[in-house]
Amino acid sequence: MEETGAMKMAARACDQTRRDRRRAFLLGGAGIAPAVAALRTSQAQAATAAQAALPVTRYRTAAIDGVNIFYREAGPADGPVVLLLHGFPTSSHMYRNLIPLLADRYRVIAPDYPGYGQSDMPDRASFAYTFDRFGALVDALLDSLRVSRYAMYVMDYGAPVGWRLALKHPDRITGLIVQNGNAYEEDLKDFWDLIKAYWADGSPAHREALKVLVTPATTKFQYTDGVRDVSRIAPDNWVHDQALLDRPGNADIQMDLFYGYRTNLPLYPVIQEWFRARKPPTLIVCGANDQIFPAEGAHPYRRDLPDAELHLLDTGHFALKDKLDAMAPMIREFLDRRVAPH
């Protein structure tokens, strides 16, 4: 009987323990519910704040001297301006991933030249496709946006367009980012032989031979040549560019510009003198494996800009498409350190 009574007492104790645990759980749950609700509110507020902080790119068009110029714009209206000037055969599309990485602090503007991207493509019979004209239109666009001070990112064709802006307004440039864009004849190597032949005589035969440069194979080559891991390059890049090159009449526009590129060479000594006189803060970051503007063309900048920061990356012509993860922090740090304080 004593053993049975002890067992009953133990059973009652176990039952009481279970009841106490259940009560504690229920009481605890009453306290947990508000905490969970508060946590969810905090998470929602953080997500809202993150979305608010994420820069929004706006896509605009301005009528400049009778031509509709498309441009991408992002960032605070009163932020230091960074002008992104694209190369051949692309458009402001090439900067679409870089823009939001700068636009939390900087006002970023990336236009399309006529005949490129979403800008008008006027008939060659009534519009001169020249680098002088491109420079004048970009300058007028900046005036319409009330931009009087800006850093420039110049790449490929963006370099001769940018040099014209710098020579017209030598005091407006707050800094330079140079990526596979040239200001020295040392950069015009073997790739340019066919183009130089056209410069020499302007013949229809040499013009026709240059049309290989607007074919799908060449457009893809520009993005993939010299790239170690091609899986890093989105095929959208060359598909997008080729669709615009294939528009009726666009190939002849490109031939006009290939021929007109010869007008950039006489500007090189003048822009080099501007480098020496103005000493703009300069970051040079280039694809070392580029056949169009080889790495040899990056080093001469240091003759005239000894304080320029030079980085050669293991990639090709469109370095930004392969090395955005390396280049964006480099560009941002340069702007924060050398340009924003001005």
Side-chain angles (χ1 to χ4, degrees), residues 231-245:
S231 71
R232 292 171 63 94
I233 312 297
D236 307 355
N237 291 299
W238 60 83
V239 171
H240 176 273
D241 290 353
Q242 193 62 44
L244 296 174
L245 287 173

Side-chain angles (χ1 to χ4, degrees), residues 19-154:
R19 286 193 295 271
D20 290 343
R21 287 178 177 172
R22 178 176 175 79
R23 177 183 293 179
F25 175 79
L26 292 173
L27 290 174
I32 288 171
V36 169
L39 178 60
R40 287 175 177 166
T41 299
S42 176
Q43 289 173 335
Q45 290 172 341
T48 301
Q51 287 178 333
L54 193 66
V56 174
T57 300
R58 301 193 182 277
Y59 308 92
R60 309 183 191 276
T61 300
I64 305 295
D65 197 16
V67 181
N68 289 318
I69 300 296
F70 172 88
Y71 63 99
R72 300 167 196 251
E73 184 175 19
D78 59 351
V81 174
V82 180
L83 175 67
L84 308 179
L85 296 173
H86 69 81
F88 164 83
T90 186
S91 63
S92 61
H93 182 261
M94 70 169 280
Y95 292 117
R96 67 194 183 280
N97 295 324
L98 176 65
I99 290 171
L101 301 180
L102 303 178
D104 62 317
R105 181 177 185 186
Y106 297 93
R107 182 184 179 191
V108 186
I109 300 169
D112 292 349
Y113 317 135
Y116 293 83
Q118 305 300 316
S119 288
D120 279 354
M121 190 179 79
D123 191 296
R124 295 169 54 244
S126 58
F127 181 88
Y129 283 89
T130 67
F131 292 94
D132 283 344
R133 192 79 173 102
F134 286 0
L137 287 168
V138 172
D139 185 41
L141 172 67
L142 294 174
D143 284 346
S144 75
L145 298 176
R146 296 194 169 105
V147 172
S148 59
R149 297 271 289 167
Y150 48 91
M152 294 194 301
Y153 185 129
V154 300

Side-chain angles (χ1 to χ4, degrees), residues 71-305:
Y71 63 99
R72 300 167 196 251
E73 184 175 19
D78 59 351
V81 174
V82 180
L83 175 67
L84 308 179
L85 296 173
H86 69 81
F88 164 83
T90 186
S91 63
S92 61
H93 182 261
M94 70 169 280
Y95 292 117
R96 67 194 183 280
N97 295 324
L98 176 65
I99 290 171
L101 301 180
L102 303 178
D104 62 317
R105 181 177 185 186
Y106 297 93
R107 182 184 179 191
V108 186
I109 300 169
D112 292 349
Y113 317 135
Y116 293 83
Q118 305 300 316
S119 288
D120 279 354
M121 190 179 79
D123 191 296
R124 295 169 54 244
S126 58
F127 181 88
Y129 283 89
T130 67
F131 292 94
D132 283 344
R133 192 79 173 102
F134 286 0
L137 287 168
V138 172
D139 185 41
L141 172 67
L142 294 174
D143 284 346
S144 75
L145 298 176
R146 296 194 169 105
V147 172
S148 59
R149 297 271 289 167
Y150 48 91
M152 294 194 301
Y153 185 129
V154 300
M155 186 268 171
D156 191 89
Y157 278 9
V161 173
W163 302 153
R164 283 162 169 79
L165 296 175
L167 294 175
K168 184 176 181 181
H169 305 293
D171 58 340
R172 291 189 179 184
I173 311 304
T174 60
L176 295 174
I177 300 161
V178 180
Q179 188 245 297
N180 299 84
N182 73 317
Y184 298 86
E185 288 197 49
E186 290 98 315
D187 218 10
L188 304 179
K189 299 291 188 180
D190 296 348
F191 180 88
W192 290 83
D193 288 348
L194 198 60
I195 300 173
K196 289 177 180 178
Y198 184 34
W199 294 348
D201 62 11
S203 69
H206 281 131
R207 182 181 179 93
E208 190 63 28
L210 280 181
K211 289 188 176 177
V212 68
L213 298 182
V214 295
T215 61
T218 303
T219 304
K220 181 177 180 180
F221 160 86
Q222 291 200 64
Y223 281 100
T224 59
D225 184 66
V227 175
R228 302 301 180 192
D229 181 1
V230 177
S231 71
R232 292 171 63 94
I233 312 297
D236 307 355
N237 291 299
W238 60 83
V239 171
H240 176 273
D241 290 353
Q242 193 62 44
L244 296 174
L245 287 173
D246 288 343
R247 289 175 293 175
N250 194 269
D252 277 316
I253 288 171
Q254 304 308 328
M255 298 308 109
D256 291 349
L257 287 161
F258 288 145
Y259 190 59
Y261 201 92
R262 74 195 191 286
T263 65
N264 298 325
L265 277 63
L267 291 183
Y268 291 168
V270 187
I271 195 65
Q272 290 160 19
E273 175 56 34
W274 179 80
F275 292 159
R276 292 191 292 271
R278 294 286 173 167
K279 297 180 175 60
T282 301
L283 172 69
I284 304 162
V285 53
C286 296
N289 311 325
D290 185 10
Q291 293 190 51
I292 300 170
F293 294 118
E296 293 94 321
H299 295 286
Y301 281 96
R302 298 288 294 275
R303 291 200 303 255
D304 300 309
L305 294 165

